[in-house]
Amino acid sequence: MSTKVLAFINFKGGVGKTACAVNIAATLAKLHEKKVLVVDLDPQSNSSLWLMRPDQWREHVAKGRRSTFEIFDDAIQGKERFNFAESVVKGVVTWTGFVEVPQLHLLPASVELLKVEDRIHELRAPTVYRILERALKDHLGAYDYVFFDCPPNLYSTTKNAIFLSDSCIVPYIPDYLSLSGFQVLAEYIAELRGKYTDSAGDRRHPNVGGVIVSHYRQTGNVFRLAINELEIMLAELRTHGILETNVSLLQPFIRHCVRVAESTSEHLPVVLYAPGCIGAQDYSDLTQNFLTHFHHKR
Ligand SMILES: Nc1ncnc2c1ncn2[C@@H]1O[C@H](COP(=O)(O)OP(=O)(O)O)[C@@H](O)[C@H]1O
Ligand SMILES: [Mg+2]
């Protein structure tokens, strides 16, 4: 089985990293029978709380055990407590107690992840960037897709995800100020590619594989104009070799949909919570294109 490993990144918060990771993963599992692992790397634990009920999550990750925190804490403390089989959560429990999408797995985060950044620099490069790889490499092959839901920064945990991924996906809310942020992000990924790519592992080739427009609103032409600007910038960055030639703006754009926002507090991906809403429809169409786009990519 060839596994696609993707990191959902953007140093902006609230742009849809978690919404895209959770909802594309759930759509792949529910409508395409794919086996998908979501790895939550954000101390805010949003994808964990979207896919688990709060009491279930709190019990599972008590004291940071059985979470992605444990992976980094082990590396810092020189311990080996993390156990993948015990940590992974299989399926999504609905309020009736029924387990849906059993082939959707989650490696939850815990708030203790906040402490990692303070101590992680006690480790040296390249070890510091290979912590996730060491902990997960034997397990990724069991999945069709592995998604890293990254925090809104490009610090060490995010870099660990970038180096273990085939590609990065950048969720993006189109507006004028986000444009310069996108350029900085693309240049940073290109710099990582130049600095750290080596022959030791076939995944250490940081690149942007696709951009997903999220929270799209059709009112007025502000968004349309911002997307034109983004397309021009993508073309320029491709010309200068900062982005690879096959990077694309994935279609369709995910429209703003109140049912998606509601589904977070119901702890269900939108494909389970409100399969008929426009958000579920957009994620379903996007996932179809996503499958085609990543099918032939390494
Ligand atoms: N298509 C959408 N329509 C409406 N609200 C959305 C949509 N996608 C995400 N949201 C809401 O926007 C907020 C930010 O999205 P999120 O995915 O958490 O961003 P990030 O992970 O980049 O910080 C979330 O609270 C979520 O409920
Ligand atoms: Mg998030």
Side-chain angles (χ1 to χ4, degrees), residues 12-19 40 42 44-47 149-152:
K12 274 198 162 204
V15 296
K17 291 180 293 297
T18 301
D40 191 351
D42 188 351
Q44 296 176 82
S45 309
N46 288 350
S47 50
D149 181 18
C150 293

Side-chain angles (χ1 to χ4, degrees), residues 30 191 195:
K30 176 79 181 166
E191 195 183 314
K195 229 178 181 169

Side-chain angles (χ1 to χ4, degrees), residues 182 186 193 208 233-234 237-245 247:
F182 180 80
R193 184 161 66 237
V208 176
M233 177 171 285
L234 286 175
L237 293 172
R238 277 191 294 251
T239 308
H240 290 100
I242 292 164
L243 289 178
E244 304 204 332
T245 47
V247 63

Side-chain angles (χ1 to χ4, degrees), residues 12-19 46 50 149 214-215 254-258 260-261 264 283:
K12 274 198 162 204
V15 296
K17 291 180 293 297
T18 301
N46 288 350
W50 203 328
D149 181 18
S214 187
H215 294 68
I254 306 297
R255 286 170 287 181
H256 184 85
C257 170
V258 73
V260 174
T264 59
Y283 275 115

Side-chain angles (χ1 to χ4, degrees), residues 257-289:
C257 170
V258 73
R259 306 290 267 168
V260 174
E262 276 172 17
S263 72
T264 59
S265 56
E266 296 299 324
H267 310 283
L268 291 172
V270 73
V271 66
L272 298 182
Y273 172 66
C277 72
I278 58 161
Q281 186 60 52
D282 288 347
Y283 275 115
S284 163
D285 294 346
L286 178 83
T287 301
Q288 190 73 52
N289 292 329

